[in-house]
Amino acid sequence: MPGFPGAHSQAESLDELQANLQEVIAMLLEDGEPQLDTDFVGLQQISVLA
């Protein structure tokens, strides 16, 4: 995960991945505000047809 060194996750679905990443970020924030080493570039929404 850009900006959060050592933050990695994987899942079988995008919903599960989002939940996993929220959990990882919550754990990282327990230690205080992280010093991020990244620049914000933008957001992109992706739709996947099943």
Side-chain angles (χ1 to χ4, degrees):
M1 186 169 195
F4 287 94
H8 305 282
S9 187
Q10 59 185 358
E12 292 186 20
S13 70
L14 290 176
D15 289 337
E16 185 181 343
L17 179 61
Q18 182 175 353
N20 291 350
L21 290 174
Q22 287 175 332
E23 189 175 322
V24 168
I25 291 170
M27 287 188 301
L28 290 170
L29 293 176
E30 286 177 0
D31 293 333
E33 190 71 26
Q35 183 170 355
L36 304 179
D37 185 24
T38 188
D39 294 322
F40 178 76
V41 175
L43 298 173
Q44 183 175 8
Q45 184 174 354
I46 300 172
S47 297
V48 177
L49 302 177

